[in-house]
Amino acid sequence: MRKTIYLLLFLVTLTGCNQETPMTHKEEIEQFRYKMNVEFSDLKTTPLKKKDFKKFKELAFFEIDASFKIEASFERTPDEPIFEMQTTTDRKPLYTQYGIATFTHSGKEHTLRVYQNQELILDPEYADHLFIPFNDLTNGAETYDGGRYIDVDIPKGEIIVIDFNKSYNPYCAYNDEYSCPIPPRENDLDLAIKAGVLAFKKH
């Protein structure tokens, strides 16, 4: 009997050791930033021009701000038409509005249209991928004047998590040879999003 109890205690302890401790929000954002810097530091994946790549050390970010991890109410908008999203070139990728996110920050209510790329959904890896391009009051000063992006997953309910600490620049912010979606005016926020990546200082 005593041996059985010891064995059970051992198994419980072993199971507890094998359980991964969930990352804190700070750790999650630090990992996100680390992956971005790895991408930009690799000649095979970097969007940087050669002269900027040679001097690149790391991207600059706002301080991590948990208040910009938003739990927004989400309204699915089915049967929206497919449309051509404007880009910085003649390229016009096909998107549809998947839903609308509504949240309150700094005492005001804000809305963002959430989009789905019609080409990406054909790839199983991106079947749940949604795209939020946006402008805010930091554009042209602290952040890129062409706006920023956030990637999110299709929510399972009526709440969608939008973490602006994970907002990133379009590749056009680093290299004008790229073609980048322009955030629709419906996603102009009357709010300074002091979270996520900062404007890139070119050399």
Side-chain angles (χ1 to χ4, degrees):
M1 181 68 178
R2 182 174 295 178
K3 290 183 178 180
T4 302
I5 293 174
Y6 287 157
L7 178 60
L8 287 171
L9 287 173
F10 173 75
L11 290 174
V12 169
T13 303
L14 184 62
T15 302
C17 292
N18 288 335
Q19 291 178 344
E20 293 185 4
T21 303
M23 285 192 295
T24 64
H25 179 244
K26 182 174 183 291
E27 291 170 338
E28 181 183 344
I29 301 306
E30 287 175 344
Q31 184 182 78
F32 172 81
R33 295 179 176 185
Y34 172 77
K35 289 180 178 179
M36 283 191 66
N37 280 317
V38 168
E39 175 191 351
F40 276 69
S41 300
D42 188 335
L43 193 57
K44 295 179 181 178
T45 55
T46 186
L48 298 173
K49 292 185 175 181
K50 289 183 178 180
K51 62 178 181 179
D52 294 318
F53 179 77
K54 290 179 180 179
K55 298 181 179 181
F56 178 76
K57 294 182 180 179
E58 61 182 6
L59 296 169
F61 298 87
F62 284 103
E63 292 293 325
I64 298 172
D65 187 342
S67 74
F68 279 112
K69 182 178 181 180
I70 306 294
E71 289 190 357
S73 61
F74 181 75
E75 177 189 355
R76 178 76 170 93
T77 53
D79 304 320
E80 285 286 326
I82 295 174
F83 70 96
E84 296 178 335
M85 185 173 286
Q86 297 295 318
T87 69
T88 53
T89 65
D90 293 335
R91 184 180 70 92
K92 293 183 179 180
L94 298 179
Y95 282 84
T96 186
Q97 179 182 293
Y98 190 86
I100 299 175
T102 304
F103 65 94
T104 300
H105 197 284
S106 302
K108 292 183 179 180
E109 185 175 273
H110 308 275
T111 60
L112 284 170
R113 270 61 177 178
V114 184
Y115 301 99
Q116 187 177 54
N117 184 293
Q118 297 303 288
E119 182 179 356
L120 276 182
I121 60 174
L122 301 177
D123 184 340
E125 184 178 350
Y126 294 96
D128 293 331
H129 177 266
L130 298 176
F131 176 59
I132 305 177
F134 70 95
N135 290 306
D136 71 277
L137 298 182
T138 67
N139 289 173
E142 296 162 290
T143 63
Y144 177 56
D145 57 9
R148 289 180 290 168
Y149 304 156
I150 296 178
D151 298 320
V152 295
D153 292 330
I154 293 176
K156 295 180 180 179
E158 296 179 351
I159 298 295
I160 187 169
V161 177
I162 303 173
D163 194 341
F164 288 103
N165 292 281
K166 293 183 178 181
S167 58
Y168 61 95
N169 288 327
Y171 276 2
C172 295
Y174 310 99
N175 190 332
D176 55 12
E177 293 182 3
Y178 285 94
S179 174
C180 306
I182 298 172
R185 289 188 177 181
E186 291 82 2
N187 277 6
D188 288 356
L189 292 173
D190 185 23
L191 175 66
I193 304 291
K194 292 181 177 291
V197 72
L198 289 162
F200 180 67
K201 295 182 180 179
K202 298 181 180 181
H203 299 285

